[in-house]
């Protein structure tokens, strides 16, 4: 982890997997409500948080993405009834693997955001971006190709 | 529930003209794009100033033109406008596009619109991808034009990456047998069958006992003085007279096979075996009166349940005129650790019988020992009436349950009155136990056959308590009546009508269509471990033991992807959300 002023200027690159029925809808609501949040996350839409294979998360983190986020429905409210239970278990496993690999588990976050929680989604984005800023750039970060992504 | 029930009655009126105003959409033949190089058309929307005011749209368009496989890119003021739809179709033809990406608002609202446009131009609607550069970009980064523009570029690049790997997807249509099977011939089951028949659908009504009616055979009047026996007689008559309802009594369900629209059930009825083919199942298997072990029930002939009391009052074998006093105890066997739920009707039942006794013999002393009086809604009026007529209500709590002893054949009921904080001793002629409703004794077997869940109290568990109260997560199976939960007759009738309404929606279709985003299992890669079978909540995957692989029924698959994530070999993929497609989006960002 870097320890100089450089990291204060760094803009985290975050990848998010949002479930169509709750979190993605919550993010849309944040937009409709014009709740502003940092522009650091790029979203991949999935139908359910259960679809997110840990391989996707690992691929992103091991390729130098600074943070990965999974957003799903609240426990008990999964559109597919119990998909988010599986997502929760996979998240626990992912954190363990990151620990073993020596990468900060805080670079990965699982959060439940419902379709009506636009404000909460914006807050979570602010919070996660802030936390990743605090952790500094991923030790696996490569040179960012020009014309690609935030600085 | 009431709403769906009301809809059922409306549906019945409209049944003769069902579908008469429906016009089938005509689409051109779908072009075959298999084997072609992806030629992506990208349409970047300004959405007036909603996007254009905060994202440099022309810059995004120029950037998109540089991406591999993008054959065409342009900006639109409003991509969703009617004239832009025509432009999209024209560009598809002019530039031989075989994939389309729209960067605008959220797919949650506009994906279907653009999919239809694309289909009208002859492309499979699943060759379409969207990038959300408004709700999740321009609207939330209004003061950072540069960063928002970079984000928009990234999002479009990711959408283009996925678009390259999109393949045409099919929506599979399977025919529907438009007949219903109703399991249970009580009031709920019969009501559901009658509703379906009034909409023109044939029904098989199977009843495990020798005659129809179920629990209602033991009920004479409702609290509101409704004549239940008359209702029962009328209902049975309507069932028997209906040409569309086929009744099987003394029926035992042997096997239930198939899936929504295509069920095959084998039953045995009166010594004969029958195989029934139907498209939906309505579970109305009922509930039972709890048989108490408390308070010497069964050992003393003057200890009765409320239903038995009602029967004796109706035939007057109780001799109400000679009755001196009677004590009713509420919540017997209910609201304890073993059965924590309240059965909803017992307080009303007690008040009903208490009023009946007072009617026959105003001098009779009637005591009701209760924990809470749950005469809800308009039933409260009858509770007040009972009090006014001299019925005495004594409150007890679960830590101080009434004690009952018999001395020389007489009852001695001792109860701690919580208001007086004193023990009261009563000597009634009869002791009446208000017991609850328990799940039907054969429910577990039925639940297994249907592949539907039971809740922790043993009643059938609906898909969602508020949003889907008569359906199961398994499509094509519905529930109503006491099988679902204890409730009064009127509510069971409502629920039965609601179940019929929902079932009719399916039965009125010629086919059920599976969505395009369904799981697919590659037989070569599958080793038959069965994890996907377990992971699927909807019963859409089964094990093929002969081939040693798992198989998906696309009609039942909801496309959630849990099976794909759990698959250790990558054999299971969700069409449209395949690993390689999602990973291409990840890689486009890295």
């Amino acid at each position: 982890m870097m320890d100089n002023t450089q990291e204060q200027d760094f803009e985290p690159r975050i990848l998010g997997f949002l479930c169509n029925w709750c979190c993605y809808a919550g993010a849309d609501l944040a937009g409709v409500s014009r709740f502003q949040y940092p522009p650091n996350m790029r979203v991949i839409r999935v139908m359910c948080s259960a679809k997110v294979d840990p391989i996707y998360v690992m691929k992103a983190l091991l390729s130098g993405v600074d943070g990965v986020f999974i957003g799903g429905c609240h426990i008990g409210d999964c559109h597919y009834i119990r998909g988010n239970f599986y997502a929760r278990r996979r998240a626990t496993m992912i954190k363990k693997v990151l620990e073993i690999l020596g990468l900060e588990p805080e670079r990965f976050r699982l959060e439940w955001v419902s379709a009506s929680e636009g404000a909460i989604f914006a807050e979570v984005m602010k919070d996660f971006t802030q936390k990743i800023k605090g952790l500094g750039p991923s030790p696996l970060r490569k040179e960012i190709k020009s014309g690609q992504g935030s600085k | 529930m009431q709403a769906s029930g009301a809809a059922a009655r409306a549906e019945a009126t409209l049944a003769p003209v069902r579908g008469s105003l429906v016009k089938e959409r005509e689409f051109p033949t779908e072009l075959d794009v298999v084997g072609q190089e992806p030629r992506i058309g990208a349409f970047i929307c300004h959405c007036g100033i909603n996007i254009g005011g905060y994202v440099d749209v022309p810059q995004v368009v120029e950037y998109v033109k540089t991406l591999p496989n993008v054959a065409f890119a342009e900006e639109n003021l409003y991509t969703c406008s009617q004239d832009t739809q025509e432009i999209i179709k024209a560009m598809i033809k002019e530039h031989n596009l075989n994939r389309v990406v729209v960067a605008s608002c959220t797919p949650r609202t506009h994906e279907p619109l653009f999919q239809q446009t694309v289909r009208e131009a002859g492309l499979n609607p699943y060759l379409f991808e969207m990038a959300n550069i408004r709700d999740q970009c321009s609207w939330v980064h209004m003061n950072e034009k540069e960063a928002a523009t970079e984000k928009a570029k990234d999002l479009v690049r990711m959408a283009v990456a996925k678009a390259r790997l999109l393949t045409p997807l099919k929506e599979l249509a399977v025919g529907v047998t438009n007949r219903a099977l109703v399991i249970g011939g009580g009031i709920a089951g019969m009501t559901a069958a009658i509703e379906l028949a009034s909409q023109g659908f044939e029904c098989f009504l199977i009843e495990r006992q020798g005659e129809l009616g179920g629990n209602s055979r033991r009920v004479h009047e409702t609290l509101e003085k409704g004549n239940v026996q008359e209702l029962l007689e009328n209902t049975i008559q309507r069932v028997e007279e209906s040409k569309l309802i086929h009744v099987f009594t003394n029926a035992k369900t042997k096997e239930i096979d198939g899936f929504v629209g295509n069920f095959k059930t084998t039953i045995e009825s009166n010594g004969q075996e029958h195989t029934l083919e139907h498209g939906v199942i309505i579970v109305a298997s009922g509930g039972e009166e709890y048989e108490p072990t408390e308070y010497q029930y069964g050992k003393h002939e003057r200890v009765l349940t409320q239903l038995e009391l009602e029967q004796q009052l109706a035939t007057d074998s109780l001799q109400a005129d000679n009755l001196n006093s009677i004590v009713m105890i509420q919540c017997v066997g209910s609201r304890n650790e073993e059965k924590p739920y309240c059965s909803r009707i017992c307080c009303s039942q007690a008040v009903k019988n208490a009023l009946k006794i007072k009617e026959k013999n105003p001098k009779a002393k009637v005591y009701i020992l209760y924990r809470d009086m749950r005469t809800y809604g308009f039933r409260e009026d009858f509770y007040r009436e009972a009090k006014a007529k001299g019925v005495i209500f004594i409150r007890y709590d679960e830590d101080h349950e009434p004690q009952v002893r018999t001395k020389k054949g007489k009852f001695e009921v001792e109860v701690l009155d919580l208001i007086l904080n004193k023990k009261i001793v009563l000597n009634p002629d009869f002791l009446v136990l208000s017991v609850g409703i328990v799940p039907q004794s054969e429910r577990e077997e039925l639940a297994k056959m249907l592949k539907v869940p039971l809740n922790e109290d043993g009643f059938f568990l609906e898909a969602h308590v508020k949003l889907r109260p008569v359906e199961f997560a398994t499509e094509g199976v519905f529930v109503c009546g006491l099988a679902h939960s204890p409730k009064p007759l009127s509510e069971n009738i409502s629920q039965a009508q609601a179940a019929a309404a929902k079932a009719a929606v399916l039965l009125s279709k010629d086919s059920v269509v599976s969505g395009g985003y369904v799981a697919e299992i590659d037989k070569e890669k599958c080793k038959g471990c069965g994890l996907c079978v377990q992971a699927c909540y909807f019963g859409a995957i089964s094990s093929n033991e002969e081939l040693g692989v798992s198989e998906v029924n696309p009609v039942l698959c909801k496309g959630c992807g849990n099976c794909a994530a759990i698959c250790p070999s990558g054999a299971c993929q969700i069409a449209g959300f395949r690993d390689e497609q999602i990973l291409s989006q990840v890689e486009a960002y890295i």
Side-chain angles (χ1 to χ4, degrees), chain A residues 7-106:
Chain A
E7 77 189 39
Q8 300 312 313
D9 291 338
F10 111 94
E11 280 301 331
R13 302 181 69 233
I14 300 174
L15 183 64
F17 296 91
L18 308 189
C19 91
N20 179 66
W21 302 97
C22 280
C23 197
Y24 194 96
D28 282 345
L29 180 60
V32 167
S33 317
R34 310 296 197 275
F35 292 132
Q36 306 292 297
Y37 53 86
N40 301 72
M41 190 169 85
R42 308 290 180 259
V43 170
I44 292 178
R45 175 180 166 231
V46 288
M47 280 300 146
C48 181
S49 50
K51 173 73 195 85
V52 183
D53 193 317
I55 286 286
Y56 309 158
V57 177
M58 297 314 296
K59 169 110 195 164
L61 288 171
L62 293 178
S63 303
V65 167
D66 302 304
V68 173
F69 177 82
I70 298 180
C73 305
H74 286 275
I75 291 289
D77 290 342
C78 177
H79 183 83
Y80 303 98
I81 318 296
R82 57 176 200 204
N84 52 6
F85 285 108
Y86 288 85
R88 188 167 63 173
R89 290 192 192 175
R90 288 180 192 125
T92 312
M93 185 264 288
I94 289 170
K95 287 221 184 251
K96 276 242 143 43
V97 170
L98 293 176
E99 264 174 51
I100 294 169
L101 292 176
L103 198 57
E104 302 97 324
E106 296 82 23

Side-chain angles (χ1 to χ4, degrees), chain A residues 13-14 20 24 28 31 34-37 39 41-42 45 50-51 56 59 80 82 86 90 148-149, chain B residues 106-108 132 135-136 139-142 151 154 157 534 537 560 562 565 577 579 587 589-590:
Chain A
R13 302 181 69 233
I14 300 174
N20 179 66
Y24 194 96
D28 282 345
R34 310 296 197 275
F35 292 132
Q36 306 292 297
Y37 53 86
M41 190 169 85
R42 308 290 180 259
R45 175 180 166 231
K51 173 73 195 85
Y56 309 158
K59 169 110 195 164
Y80 303 98
R82 57 176 200 204
Y86 288 85
R90 288 180 192 125
Q148 179 171 343
Chain B
T106 174
R108 283 175 49 89
N132 186 336
D135 307 46
Q136 293 182 15
W139 271 351
V140 289
H141 313 309
M142 288 166 112
K151 177 166 165 173
D154 285 349
R157 186 177 66 253
Q534 282 175 47
Y537 187 77
C560 67
N562 196 17
F577 291 91
D579 284 343
E587 278 166 25
Y589 179 43
I590 293 169

Side-chain angles (χ1 to χ4, degrees), chain B residues 195-456:
Chain B
E195 278 305 328
L196 285 171
S198 68
Q199 290 194 39
F201 298 116
E202 216 180 316
C203 289
F204 300 117
L205 179 60
I206 66 177
E207 164 57 43
R208 68 182 171 128
Q209 295 188 351
E211 41 175 1
L212 296 168
N215 286 303
S216 60
R217 276 188 268 129
R218 297 178 68 195
V219 183
H220 295 264
E221 250 183 30
T222 62
L223 177 60
E224 298 87 348
K225 302 255 190 312
N227 188 334
V228 177
Q229 289 301 307
E230 195 179 285
L231 170 73
L232 178 58
E233 228 176 271
N234 288 341
T235 310
I236 292 179
Q237 188 175 18
R238 288 174 75 185
V239 165
E240 287 175 345
E241 281 175 2
S242 170
K243 293 196 177 67
L244 291 172
I245 304 177
H246 311 291
V247 180
F248 297 88
T249 52
N250 291 309
K252 184 163 170 60
T253 316
K254 311 285 288 283
E255 208 186 325
I256 302 177
D257 231 337
F259 56 95
V260 57
N262 300 273
F263 289 110
K264 206 187 261 186
T265 302
T266 318
I267 63 162
E268 198 189 284
S269 161
N270 291 315
Q272 263 202 310
E273 209 180 79
H274 302 266
T275 305
L276 311 169
E277 285 178 13
H278 49 99
V280 299
I281 302 172
I282 299 186
V283 177
S285 49
E288 294 168 4
E289 185 191 36
Y290 169 62
E291 202 180 307
T293 50
E294 298 88 337
Y295 298 120
Q296 300 177 42
Y297 177 81
K299 301 200 184 96
H300 199 298
E301 62 176 12
R302 282 166 167 243
V303 179
L304 308 170
T305 63
Q306 291 286 359
L307 274 178
E308 288 168 341
L309 173 64
E310 183 173 348
Q311 179 71 5
Q312 292 204 17
L313 283 172
T315 58
D316 203 31
S317 53
L318 184 81
Q319 291 179 335
D321 299 333
N322 292 336
L323 197 60
N324 185 29
S325 83
I326 197 166
V327 166
M328 300 181 181
I329 304 180
Q330 303 302 107
C331 302
V332 174
S334 298
R335 303 178 66 199
N336 53 29
E337 239 182 87
E338 207 187 292
K339 281 191 236 298
Y341 62 92
C342 160
S343 285
R344 202 175 173 89
I345 65 170
C346 345
C347 284
S348 300
Q349 214 181 12
V351 167
K352 174 179 84 178
N353 287 337
L355 284 171
K356 197 93 206 155
I357 292 171
K358 282 292 188 182
E359 193 187 298
K360 290 178 182 265
N361 180 359
K363 291 218 171 65
K365 297 197 201 81
V366 182
Y367 301 90
I368 296 184
L369 312 185
Y370 71 97
R371 278 170 58 181
D372 296 283
M373 277 315 286
R374 292 183 170 173
T375 43
Y376 58 94
F378 293 121
R379 294 168 172 83
E380 183 79 359
D381 290 338
F382 295 97
Y383 169 45
R384 253 184 252 121
E385 190 190 326
K387 282 215 274 194
K389 291 194 169 149
V391 175
I392 296 180
F393 291 86
I394 300 174
R395 184 142 186 259
Y396 76 89
D397 72 22
E398 60 181 308
D399 296 324
H400 304 93
E401 285 181 356
Q403 302 294 311
V404 174
R405 293 178 285 271
T406 41
K407 274 189 178 158
K408 292 184 200 158
K410 299 210 104 199
F411 287 115
E412 200 176 86
V413 178
E414 189 184 289
V415 62
L416 174 69
D417 182 324
L418 289 175
I419 296 171
L420 295 175
N421 200 19
K422 270 191 171 169
K423 286 216 175 103
I424 296 184
V425 177
L426 303 162
N427 302 103
D429 302 317
F430 281 89
L431 181 63
V432 183
L433 309 177
S434 290
V435 295
I437 295 172
V438 294
Q440 200 244 63
S441 46
E442 287 157 22
R443 70 195 176 275
E444 287 201 29
E445 215 186 300
L446 186 59
K448 258 201 200 93
M449 270 193 269
L450 290 163
K451 297 191 205 99
V452 295
L454 299 169
N455 66 17
E456 57 208 358

